[in-house]
Amino acid sequence: QTPMAAPQAAAAARHAAALASVLTHLPPVQYAFAYGSGVMHQPGLYDQDQKVGSDISTPSTSKSKGPMVDYILAVDDPLTWHAENITQNP
């Protein structure tokens, strides 16, 4: 395999940072991962105006078009975590 080209590596790093930035708006978690069509770039899925990693941290609605990202979060105490989340994100 050939190593990832520098521009591709930089884009991948920005995309990973955008995915992780969602967690800064939530109470701490022990483990998290993301899945969905927006996690990895898929040619033809994106509108011309949308770049990989753009507006990932903006919640989408069911009417939104383009890539989707879902997160699985693992926490030690779900009740406490949800209470903190409701306080932090009313």
Side-chain angles (χ1 to χ4, degrees):
Q1 289 182 319
T2 60
M4 190 180 297
Q8 290 173 320
R14 285 190 307 273
H15 188 61
L19 288 167
S21 73
V22 171
L23 299 177
T24 65
H25 302 283
L26 301 172
V29 301
Q30 281 61 53
Y31 180 80
F33 68 90
Y35 69 96
S37 58
V39 172
M40 300 295 289
H41 178 72
Q42 298 181 47
L45 180 63
Y46 305 88
D47 295 333
Q48 290 181 2
D49 295 335
Q50 188 171 12
K51 303 230 185 305
V52 174
S54 65
D55 294 328
I56 284 177
S57 61
T58 303
S60 62
T61 66
S62 60
K63 295 179 183 178
S64 67
K65 296 178 182 176
M68 298 293 295
V69 175
D70 291 306
Y71 289 82
I72 301 294
L73 309 175
V75 299
D76 286 333
D77 184 345
L79 293 177
T80 300
W81 188 91
H82 280 287
E84 290 175 15
N85 187 45
I86 289 170
T87 301
Q88 190 172 326
N89 300 292

